[in-house]
Amino acid sequence: KWLVVSVIILIFVQALTELFLPKLMGDIVDQGVVQGNLNYIWKIGTLMLGVTTIGVFVSILASYLSSKIAMGFGRDIRRKVFKKVSHFSLQEMDEVGTASLITRTTNDVTQIQQVLMLMLRMVIMAPLMMIGGIIMALSKDTKLSLIVIGVLPFLAIIIFLIMKKGMPLFKAVQKRLDKMNLVMREHLTGIRVIRAFNKEEKEQERLEQANFDLMHVSIRVNKLMAFVMPLMMLLLNLTIVAIIWFGGFRIESGNMQIGDLMAFIQYVMQIMFALMMASLMFVVIPRASVSADRINQVLEMEST
């Protein structure tokens, strides 16, 4: 728990450093570059380097600690599953299946570890960056912030569609992996019988079928995942184009400075990236929840 608290504090510091940098950049442009004040540029530039150094340091430390937490959590789950399975009767072993138990102890736990590592970083970082970015963007220009609000419904629709399509596919992947392990295990444990009855070709066909079934579902999952990032980047770039377009009119009318527009674009990018991180979590969490359900099924099973 202390490691988790440490990660939260470190990510909070990292978010503050990232939110502070665009403001400094805007100040350099407006008060340094535009007015030709070289001393101010050096002063704020040095401060930006210092803030960046702190951000890099806390980011590396947060990554290390979150990896340590996730790996330790996986170790504890494997230990619990192993201990539980050791007390199963033959009835429970047959009900779950040896191949499925192997998958649950290895692949399913790995899925949970990966998502936990992402969650410790992104689930804390994304809201901080989004809320902080919105506050800072509003402080720069309220009217331009309406563009960001207009993009949010489109992002929500994308996330909803991904979750709707992805959940059944993630379940199918884990089931096909179980089947693959089952065929492989039967082949290895029954190798003498297979050779005695000359059934090598039959077993080869079974393995190929299980392998192709897993491949087809995995490709469908990866196609869905590959579709997410380009769509998000398209939305981000269209939003920035709209901001530059309308921001140009605001600068021309004297309602905004160039540095403020540059800082505003940075804050919008931070808001959009925070939303992209959140959407990524909505993609990976369903897969991990399927794995978590499968592990809980074993842990909650009462032995006869």
Side-chain angles (χ1 to χ4, degrees):
K1 63 185 176 183
W2 295 116
L3 286 177
V4 173
V5 171
S6 302
V7 168
I8 292 167
I9 292 166
L10 288 167
I11 288 171
F12 182 73
V13 173
Q14 185 188 346
L16 287 178
T17 58
E18 290 193 22
L19 289 166
F20 191 42
L21 284 171
K23 185 183 182 304
L24 293 174
M25 184 190 70
D27 290 344
I28 275 187
V29 173
D30 290 337
Q31 296 175 38
V33 176
V34 173
Q35 295 179 18
N37 189 343
L38 196 63
N39 288 331
Y40 188 82
I41 293 169
W42 277 108
K43 180 185 167 186
I44 301 299
T46 308
L47 181 60
M48 283 181 80
L49 281 172
V51 171
T52 307
T53 306
I54 294 166
V56 169
F57 175 73
V58 295
S59 177
I60 291 167
L61 196 55
S63 296
Y64 171 74
L65 292 177
S66 57
S67 300
K68 198 170 181 179
I69 292 162
M71 295 306 115
F73 186 67
R75 174 202 62 205
D76 294 345
I77 293 174
R78 287 195 188 96
R79 186 188 290 147
K80 281 188 176 184
V81 172
F82 186 84
K83 193 176 178 183
K84 185 78 176 179
V85 172
S86 299
H87 294 94
F88 275 178
S89 67
L90 291 174
Q91 184 182 327
E92 284 86 48
M93 292 293 284
D94 290 338
E95 188 180 330
V96 182
T98 309
S100 183
L101 284 169
I102 291 167
T103 310
R104 291 174 203 225
T105 316
T106 52
N107 186 271
D108 284 326
V109 173
T110 304
Q111 295 291 341
I112 291 167
Q113 282 180 324
Q114 288 173 350
V115 169
L116 182 61
M117 198 154 42
L118 282 170
M119 281 178 72
L120 284 167
R121 300 296 316 281
M122 291 186 181
V123 169
I124 302 163
M125 188 74 167
L128 287 173
M129 291 299 293
M130 191 167 73
I131 294 163
I134 289 167
I135 291 166
M136 296 301 284
L138 284 168
S139 69
K140 292 292 177 188
D141 198 295
T142 312
K143 289 183 179 177
L144 271 183
S145 303
L146 294 171
I147 296 169
V148 183
I149 295 164
V151 176
L152 293 179
F154 294 103
L155 278 168
I157 291 164
I158 292 166
I159 291 164
F160 173 75
L161 290 173
I162 290 162
M163 284 189 72
K164 192 178 177 182
K165 290 273 186 186
M167 201 70 165
L169 288 174
F170 294 138
K171 286 181 181 176
V173 165
Q174 297 308 106
K175 283 180 181 175
R176 301 284 166 89
L177 199 59
D178 280 351
K179 179 69 176 172
M180 177 83 173
N181 281 341
L182 175 67
V183 173
M184 189 60 127
R185 184 178 172 277
E186 284 176 351
H187 180 75
L188 293 173
T189 54
I191 192 74
R192 291 185 181 184
V193 179
I194 291 162
R195 285 176 180 171
F197 288 93
N198 196 25
K199 292 285 184 183
E200 286 97 331
E201 285 186 17
K202 181 73 177 173
E203 287 300 307
Q204 182 87 21
E205 287 172 13
R206 283 183 72 212
L207 182 66
E208 279 186 14
Q209 186 60 48
N211 205 353
F212 273 101
D213 286 345
L214 177 61
M215 182 192 77
H216 289 313
V217 179
S218 298
I219 286 171
R220 286 176 67 192
V221 168
N222 285 321
K223 277 181 181 176
L224 184 70
M225 301 282 276
F227 177 72
V228 177
M229 198 50 71
L231 202 58
M232 293 291 182
M233 290 306 295
L234 178 67
L235 273 173
L236 172 65
N237 289 323
L238 287 173
T239 306
I240 289 167
V241 167
I243 286 163
I244 292 169
W245 177 268
F246 290 108
F249 292 123
R250 305 267 308 152
I251 291 167
E252 197 176 16
S253 62
N255 293 318
M256 197 178 194
Q257 290 183 302
I258 296 168
D260 285 340
L261 178 62
M262 290 175 71
F264 189 89
I265 291 167
Q266 290 291 316
Y267 286 127
V268 169
M269 286 181 73
Q270 287 177 351
I271 293 163
M272 295 296 285
F273 274 116
L275 289 167
M276 285 166 71
M277 283 194 278
S279 66
L280 179 66
M281 290 311 300
F282 281 115
V283 171
V284 295
I285 283 173
R287 187 166 187 179
S289 70
V290 170
S291 296
D293 288 341
R294 284 157 56 84
I295 290 166
N296 279 332
Q297 192 182 347
V298 175
L299 294 175
E300 291 167 4
M301 195 174 277
E302 291 296 326
S303 178
T304 54

